[in-house]
Amino acid sequence: MKRVNELFDVKEDFKIISLHSDSRYVGKDSVFFCIEGLTTDGHRYADDAVFQGAKVIVHSKPLKRKYPGVLYIQVKDVLDELNRVANIFYDYPSYKMTVIGITGTSGKTVVALTIRDVLNHYLKMGYIGTNDAQYGSTVIQSSYTTPETIFLHRTLNEMVKSAVKGVTIEVSSHGLALKRVDSIDFDIAVFTNIHEEHLDFHGTMENLMRAKMKLFELVNEKGFVILNADEVRFNHFLAQNAKIKAHRLTYGIDHKADIMAKNVHVFIDHTEFDLFIKDEVYHVNVPLLGRFNVSNTLATLTVLMALEMPIEQIVSAIDYISPVDGRMELLETHTPFHVIVDFCQYVHAYGQVFRFAKSVIKPNSRIIAIIGVPSKKEINKRNRIAKIANKYCDQVILTQEDDRDDNMLDSCEAMQDLLKETVSVIVTDRRVAIYQAIEMACNEDLILILGKGHEQFMKSSVGNQPYPGDKYIALKAVEEIFGGGKEDEI
């Protein structure tokens, strides 16, 4: 709780219990911020907020009606004011922790959770990212990869109260463009990679890169910016446009960097490489799958370097790295075939997963891919995924990814028409599709269950619907079909 004159430059003096930017959750003695969002304008709900108990309305446009006993504050930019006020209201929580932000098209979740898991062996850590926030035994659901400003500051404040010393935050390009993290004091910012995704929102690659760049400008002068040396285009853009105050460290495989990996060898259940760090070389292996996860591993180790860990401790910390749920997760099925679950939200990720699969399967074995079909609004994505599947997959099962309004069978048939060079079948029920893949697999085949990863819900027009999750359905299928796993050859 704060007094209103602690938050704003006003003479009035009354208590403020909460902050809100969604009128549905406004309560007594609160502040309501009229945010102009992508689909709605908070100014339309100012009256609703007052009826529900708001004592302060922060707005940028003139309002048709003002009520006595309510303080109206007009500002130039409501988002800027929201960031400033939230920081004060929640007692500047990010200044009391080591805050590590991770941005990039893909790899954010793997890097954020891997850093969190490694550092948890040394201090109490938290995580905020895709679908939730985590610290200790607490899990708080969120609607966005990077939550809105009030949720973010409130959660960080709760972490501080729980003696959390550091936090990793996934920072999306949307979150940066919408100013959700403008008032966060970042100590370290990590960049993974950039691909041509989200252009429906950003318009151009330059706008996308400019949005990503903003995170590095938020890092304080004592902090570190950690860059992927292999992302030459972005690094050139950054050098030409960014005003970075922080120190820089780099990691890479193909280009010279502070931490490097060479002689990379991928296997079905782990990856090995030579780690080059400060003129020393160490042969290491990690349980993360694929060459792209070598980059994610290097990003994690570079964060440890930024935290001034000794080289020996950095290398030994590799033992704390473990697979991330739903991210290239190899399931323990105890069967002669293999099953991998991956989130696979972007087109380039399908290419990475399929190339990995092709490199590790044995001759005459098959890649069987379960693909959640993109909606009718994503025809270009559908076409691009089909092109990649034609090149790498032996068999494809087309199914639902979420419960969308468009006709699932029509979407599957439209994508099936594009699969000219591989065998495909349509099984619209995702559970049945997974069971069918398990039933048809032979020795050394590799089943790829793609599109949902860790998610235990189906998105729909009326909200998220319960869904057991790909991993649990696959394991249940193995148990029911093979009695907990088949030890003999098929």
Side-chain angles (χ1 to χ4, degrees):
M1 186 181 75
K2 286 284 191 293
R3 310 298 295 183
V4 68
N5 51 19
E6 294 179 85
L7 304 176
F8 304 97
D9 185 15
V10 295
K11 295 180 180 179
E12 287 84 353
D13 183 12
F14 51 83
K15 66 181 179 182
I16 295 297
I17 294 177
S18 59
L19 309 179
H20 302 278
S21 59
D22 188 329
S23 62
R24 294 173 296 178
Y25 305 111
V26 169
K28 183 181 177 183
D29 298 330
S30 62
V31 180
F32 177 66
F33 294 85
C34 301
I35 303 295
E36 292 184 73
L38 298 176
T39 57
T40 188
D41 186 347
H43 291 83
R44 295 171 52 192
Y45 303 101
D47 289 354
D48 294 345
V50 172
F51 293 149
Q52 291 182 205
K55 293 290 292 291
V56 180
I57 303 294
V58 180
H59 60 105
S60 58
K61 296 178 180 178
L63 298 173
K64 293 181 180 180
R65 187 183 295 107
K66 294 185 178 181
Y67 295 89
V70 178
L71 177 61
Y72 291 87
I73 300 176
Q74 186 165 359
V75 297
K76 183 178 179 180
D77 190 313
V78 177
L79 284 174
D80 288 344
E81 188 70 355
L82 173 58
N83 272 281
R84 186 190 67 80
V85 172
N87 213 9
I88 298 171
F89 187 83
Y90 290 107
D91 295 321
Y92 303 93
S94 63
Y95 289 80
K96 301 172 184 177
M97 318 165 70
T98 297
V99 181
I100 304 167
I102 300 93
T103 195
T105 303
S106 60
K108 294 188 296 294
T109 301
V110 172
V111 173
L113 287 174
T114 302
I115 294 170
R116 189 277 308 269
D117 291 346
V118 169
L119 290 180
N120 251 337
H121 288 81
Y122 306 100
L123 68 161
K124 191 174 182 180
M125 290 289 296
Y127 158 81
I128 299 174
T130 305
N131 300 329
D132 62 29
Q134 306 170 14
Y135 58 98
S137 60
T138 300
V139 177
I140 307 171
Q141 298 301 312
S142 171
S143 301
Y144 306 102
T145 296
T146 306
E148 293 179 326
T149 304
I150 296 171
F151 178 100
L152 193 56
H153 281 273
R154 182 173 65 243
T155 304
L156 291 175
N157 186 46
E158 290 302 316
M159 288 184 181
V160 170
K161 291 178 181 178
S162 298
V164 173
K165 301 301 181 183
V167 62
T168 57
I169 303 176
E170 292 186 50
V171 186
S172 67
S173 57
H174 289 76
L176 286 161
L178 297 173
K179 299 185 175 184
R180 291 177 184 162
V181 297
D182 276 16
S183 51
I184 301 298
D185 182 55
F186 288 98
D187 297 284
I188 299 173
V190 182
F191 172 70
T192 58
N193 51 61
I194 196 160
H195 297 276
E196 293 185 352
E197 309 287 352
H198 302 309
L199 296 189
D200 56 333
F201 178 82
H202 295 284
T204 66
M205 276 299 292
E206 181 174 326
N207 289 341
L208 175 58
M209 290 191 289
R210 199 172 297 281
K212 296 290 186 187
M213 178 183 78
K214 184 178 178 182
L215 175 62
F216 308 113
E217 297 178 335
L218 292 173
V219 182
N220 62 59
E221 64 276 3
K222 295 181 180 179
F224 283 86
V225 165
I226 294 173
L227 302 172
N228 184 346
D230 296 331
E231 291 288 333
V232 177
R233 175 174 56 169
F234 180 77
N235 293 333
H236 177 73
F237 181 85
L238 205 65
Q240 298 296 316
N241 296 279
K243 298 177 181 177
I244 298 175
K245 305 181 291 290
H247 307 288
R248 300 192 193 197
L249 288 173
T250 57
Y251 65 92
I253 300 173
D254 300 317
H255 293 80
K256 186 177 180 181
D258 294 300
I259 291 183
M260 297 189 68
K262 292 185 178 296
N263 304 318
V264 177
H265 297 283
V266 297
F267 301 90
I268 189 65
D269 59 351
H270 73 284
T271 307
E272 297 183 15
F273 59 91
D274 291 330
L275 175 66
F276 288 73
I277 176 171
K278 293 187 176 180
D279 300 322
E280 299 289 339
V281 183
Y282 304 86
H283 186 74
V284 301
N285 70 77
V286 292
L288 304 183
L289 309 183
R291 182 182 172 90
F292 51 93
N293 268 325
V294 174
S295 288
N296 293 332
T297 300
L298 295 177
T300 298
L301 300 181
T302 312
V303 168
L304 304 185
M305 177 184 282
L307 293 172
E308 299 183 343
M309 280 192 178
I311 295 178
E312 295 75 14
Q313 194 171 10
I314 293 174
V315 176
S316 64
I318 293 173
D319 293 337
Y320 299 139
I321 294 176
S322 59
V324 174
D325 286 348
R327 299 303 198 277
M328 290 300 288
E329 184 178 6
L330 179 66
L331 305 188
E332 294 185 13
T333 60
H334 305 292
T335 59
F337 57 82
H338 311 285
V339 183
I340 289 176
V341 173
D342 190 64
F343 195 42
C344 227
Q345 287 295 291
Y346 304 118
V347 175
H348 76 271
Y350 282 87
Q352 290 176 331
V353 172
F354 291 153
R355 284 190 291 273
F356 164 78
K358 201 71 173 178
S359 70
V360 297
I361 63 167
K362 295 183 178 180
N364 302 318
S365 298
R366 298 175 299 170
I367 297 174
I368 303 171
I370 299 174
I371 298 177
V373 176
S375 70
K376 61 184 179 182
K377 297 179 182 178
E378 302 175 292
I379 293 177
N380 182 52
K381 180 179 180 180
R382 183 189 299 169
N383 294 345
R384 292 165 65 197
I385 292 173
K387 183 177 180 180
I388 302 169
N390 274 325
K391 183 176 180 181
Y392 292 101
C393 296
D394 297 289
Q395 292 185 272
V396 172
I397 301 177
L398 299 172
T399 190
Q400 68 183 143
E401 185 172 308
D402 288 299
D403 289 327
R404 300 189 179 91
D405 291 334
D406 48 323
N407 186 287
M408 180 55 59
L409 181 58
D410 289 347
S411 295
C412 288
E413 288 178 343
M415 187 165 180
Q416 188 176 41
D417 289 341
L418 302 170
L419 296 171
K420 305 293 187 182
E421 301 167 42
T422 185
V423 178
S424 64
V425 64
I426 295 172
V427 183
T428 55
D429 188 308
R430 193 174 181 91
R431 295 170 178 82
V432 177
I434 293 172
Y435 268 74
Q436 183 163 324
I438 299 295
E439 286 181 327
M440 68 187 291
C442 298
N443 290 340
E444 302 300 339
D445 284 349
L446 174 52
I447 299 173
L448 302 171
I449 308 177
L450 309 175
K452 294 201 69 66
H454 66 291
E455 289 183 346
Q456 291 184 283
F457 57 83
M458 287 274 186
K459 298 175 184 176
S460 75
S461 58
V462 294
N464 292 339
Q465 304 300 312
Y467 171 71
D470 290 347
K471 172 181 178 178
Y472 302 99
I473 292 173
L475 293 175
K476 185 68 173 176
V478 168
E479 181 182 354
E480 291 183 4
I481 296 169
F482 304 109
K486 48 184 177 178
E487 304 297 338
D488 300 324
E489 290 191 355
I490 301 169

